Amino acid sequence: MEFLVRTENTLPPDTPDDVREELRARERERAMELRAAGVLRRLWRVPGRGATIGLYEAADPAELHDALVSLPMWKWMDITVEALATHPQEKAP
Amino acid sequence: MEFLVRTENTLPPDTPDDVREELRARERERAMELRAAGVLRRLWRVPGRGATIGLYEAADPAELHDALVSLPMWKWMDITVEALATHPQEKAP
Amino acid sequence: MEFLVRTENTLPPDTPDDVREELRARERERAMELRAAGVLRRLWRVPGRGATIGLYEAADPAELHDALVSLPMWKWMDITVEALATHPQEKAP
Amino acid sequence: MEFLVRTENTLPPDTPDDVREELRARERERAMELRAAGVLRRLWRVPGRGATIGLYEAADPAELHDALVSLPMWKWMDITVEALATHPQEKAP
Amino acid sequence: MEFLVRTENTLPPDTPDDVREELRARERERAMELRAAGVLRRLWRVPGRGATIGLYEAADPAELHDALVSLPMWKWMDITVEALATHPQEKAP
Amino acid sequence: MEFLVRTENTLPPDTPDDVREELRARERERAMELRAAGVLRRLWRVPGRGATIGLYEAADPAELHDALVSLPMWKWMDITVEALATHPQEKAP
Amino acid sequence: MEFLVRTENTLPPDTPDDVREELRARERERAMELRAAGVLRRLWRVPGRGATIGLYEAADPAELHDALVSLPMWKWMDITVEALATHPQEKAP
Amino acid sequence: MEFLVRTENTLPPDTPDDVREELRARERERAMELRAAGVLRRLWRVPGRGATIGLYEAADPAELHDALVSLPMWKWMDITVEALATHPQEKAP
Amino acid sequence: MEFLVRTENTLPPDTPDDVREELRARERERAMELRAAGVLRRLWRVPGRGATIGLYEAADPAELHDALVSLPMWKWMDITVEALATHPQEKAP
Amino acid sequence: MEFLVRTENTLPPDTPDDVREELRARERERAMELRAAGVLRRLWRVPGRGATIGLYEAADPAELHDALVSLPMWKWMDITVEALATHPQEKAP
């Protein structure tokens, strides 16, 4: 099933640049693994903010939760999830 | 998977009593079928309101959607759904 | 550019079934045209509600506006739009 | 009587892992005691967040309050409680 | 147990005065019965609005719900309920 | 005149227990004085939270303000006040 | 004591002009009486809206409520009231 | 001084097309007059909605109010206004 | 023109009393200057909070902004401003 | 395309004045570059707050995002962006 996932970055602004960059690099690496595993399908930026909107696919909410918690930035993200229902139009021939 | 489902009754207050009662009877009948099918697991009233909180189980959000739409009151209900993730504590021996 | 579009159906519950069905059929037909034109990319249902979340692509907000207004249900929809920024991860090799 | 209880974890992200783990272990232990006592009936995770939704049973709001305050994490949780009314359907034969 | 109950009057402004007065009289009569039964303990007006704040006492939320539904104005009131926990100070000698 | 007063405790969770206890003892002492003076009439806990709902009586909002500011916890409380109007039912014989 | 009073006009847009004008004239007349009685002290418009912000003075919230209910537009106004506390600066020599 | 003005169209969806078109034509005509008078400076559409964001210039809020009320659609618009302060950067050489 | 100005004090509760008192004294001094200059016309306390509601008069929003920034507490205040339109009733003979 | 951009300054109030001034000077310098590049078109202050409303022009949301991130204050700003659709009136002869 698919989920719409919003993240807001809550990392304090005074975080040293090297810590920030190291976190970002690890975050990107883990995100790429989730893409490879078919869990993270699309990712957008909310313009102007340290925030993203993502389209995820997982077997159920618990599996999605585990994927999001596995992100190195998780402790510094405010995340909200919406479960999406497939629309009949999507199955149109 | 489980869902927390809130409903707010939006039936106009001037609905004739017989229409209201007939809808309520059909609603109850369909709800009982959903219970028998294992879709509706628990139902509570929000005290003081024409509103309920329900615990549902369905294969995915689309199946839940179909179950809710099948309720005779659906057109007169404002419904919000939260997908629930199983908590590890629930699996404790 | 891409947009996240939410719609809430505000059609009165006492709309006659034939009017409702005729609108729905025309809505679906127009949506299919927008899909064919590459404007409507994905569509999901918000479970439990007469509501959708869609992923659209258009040259700019004015073109998106025209596409949404062309939907037969437009007068009975409360629509909110978010402009999405491409995330650098999407361009990763 | 039953209560729907939401918790949001407000523990600072820079809490040392050992402090966090020790708190989590004690929290789990106390939660298990509340389950054994019939106070905590069900627990779910809100996917993506350090948050839970729980179904509790207590004689009255004061007894529920005491149960929640007894959780080791209480000082780092933002908790909201809704009192639930039994729905007549639940008594159906 | 005690409950804080807010009501907002949603009776349409064009309700004929005699209907309004007849409803108000019946509402008052029923409220007085609830006072006599010890269910309605205090009642205040929210200044400037057709709204009240009441202190109720009932065995549980279901009993409170039945009391509120018994009010003739119930279909034209938007009601919200908060369950109150006795504060230890109240038991002070 | 009467006021409905909500307080949310904003004392940091890492406040040392002795500071917390000393504040709580002084708070209780002052609250008891306000009770004796007829200013604090009733006090409830919002279940699950470091929060209260109180019924106060004071000559006017300025006098109420002075009473609330006199509470030792005042600097660590987020307080909201509603002025209540006496309901005609309360004067019923 | 003083109150800040906000009103939002909820008169339906299709109200005939003569009904609207007659109501407005009576509203103005009653407002002028409240000014003469020292109850309505200042009145502003919220620019762009059928809405006002007023400064009222009354012995208590119940007296203010009676003054507001006496306005011919009352049934078509959504009103919110804030009780104001005199600021010590106002008493400065 | 400048104002940011948001409008939401509240015209009922079942308004006959000729009434709607006639209103729209008169609205446009009046808007063009306000442009010519230097009151309406810029106008944008909120994509997907019958809503606009406008930049207005007027001597004061009362003059702006009169300009907005002069729009034929005014009774069917929910309008909010923000007064803007000139930013020092705007005066930079 | 007139403005309604709300302030919320955000000074940390652990600010030393002498710093707090020194700020308050300077704040009062500057407020008195703004009164003498006809900028600050009325000031009220929001009961129970470190918050005020003020009636200001200034040539335009930029002048008001400068007056508010000149307050020594400005950096520790969350301020919201509403521009008020003179109501025709105020000009009544 | 055009965007309406709101910023709220979240720089801690206890930031040393020289750090604050240095940031402000660099912010102004970068803003002037964005003006010269045709990205920042207009800028207003929200009166009373460390907040701005700006009119920006950029090829798409990603380009706007890059412009906003290039501001030295970016880490200390809470930014929200609205994509604006050109209104047909703007093209009127």
Side-chain angles (χ1 to χ4, degrees), chain F residues 8-62:
Chain F
E8 289 274 335
N9 188 330
T10 62
L11 200 67
D14 59 355
T15 305
D17 280 355
D18 57 335
V19 174
R20 187 181 291 266
E21 281 315 309
E22 191 262 341
L23 263 170
R24 193 172 296 176
R26 285 174 48 214
E27 181 80 3
R28 181 185 166 89
E29 185 180 12
R30 182 62 190 136
M32 285 303 166
E33 290 172 9
L34 292 176
R35 282 177 188 266
V39 175
L40 172 54
R41 308 302 292 255
R42 289 294 308 278
L43 192 67
W44 297 273
R45 266 196 184 133
V46 181
R49 302 181 71 78
T52 65
I53 295 176
L55 179 65
Y56 283 74
E57 188 151 2
D60 57 37

Side-chain angles (χ1 to χ4, degrees), chain C residues 26-74:
Chain C
R26 286 174 48 215
E27 180 79 5
R28 180 186 167 89
E29 185 180 12
R30 181 63 189 135
M32 286 302 168
E33 290 171 9
L34 292 176
R35 282 176 188 268
V39 175
L40 172 53
R41 309 300 293 253
R42 289 294 308 278
L43 191 67
W44 298 273
R45 266 196 183 134
V46 180
R49 303 180 69 79
T52 65
I53 296 176
L55 179 65
Y56 283 74
E57 187 149 3
D60 58 36
E63 190 181 294
L64 174 72
H65 183 80
D66 291 342
L68 294 170
V69 170
S70 78
L71 290 165
M73 287 287 295
W74 186 72

Side-chain angles (χ1 to χ4, degrees), chain J residues 35-79:
Chain J
R35 281 176 190 267
V39 175
L40 172 54
R41 308 301 292 254
R42 290 292 309 277
L43 192 66
W44 298 272
R45 267 196 183 133
V46 180
R49 302 181 70 80
T52 65
I53 295 176
L55 181 63
Y56 282 75
E57 187 151 2
D60 58 36
E63 190 182 294
L64 174 72
H65 183 80
D66 291 343
L68 294 170
V69 169
S70 78
L71 291 166
M73 287 287 294
W74 186 73
K75 280 196 288 187
W76 295 276
M77 288 199 289
D78 183 15
I79 297 182

Side-chain angles (χ1 to χ4, degrees), chain G residues 45 48-49, chain H residues 64-75 79:
Chain G
R45 266 196 183 132
R49 303 180 70 79
Chain H
L64 174 73
H65 183 80
D66 291 342
L68 294 171
V69 169
S70 77
L71 290 166
M73 287 286 295
W74 187 71
K75 280 196 287 186
I79 298 183

Side-chain angles (χ1 to χ4, degrees), chain H residues 28-90:
Chain H
R28 180 185 166 89
E29 187 180 9
R30 181 64 188 135
M32 285 303 167
E33 291 172 8
L34 292 176
R35 281 176 190 267
V39 175
L40 172 54
R41 309 301 292 254
R42 290 293 309 278
L43 192 66
W44 298 273
R45 267 197 183 131
V46 180
R49 302 181 70 79
T52 66
I53 295 176
L55 180 64
Y56 282 74
E57 188 150 1
D60 57 35
E63 190 182 293
L64 174 73
H65 183 80
D66 291 342
L68 294 171
V69 169
S70 77
L71 290 166
M73 287 286 295
W74 187 71
K75 280 196 287 186
W76 295 277
M77 287 199 289
D78 182 15
I79 298 183
T80 49
V81 168
E82 283 179 282
L84 300 167
T86 309
H87 195 285
Q89 272 185 20
E90 293 281 319

Side-chain angles (χ1 to χ4, degrees), chain A residues 8-29:
Chain A
E8 289 275 334
N9 188 329
T10 61
L11 200 66
D14 59 356
T15 304
D17 279 354
D18 56 335
V19 174
R20 187 181 293 265
E21 281 315 308
E22 192 261 341
L23 262 171
R24 195 174 294 178
R26 286 173 47 214
E27 179 81 4
R28 180 185 166 89
E29 186 180 11

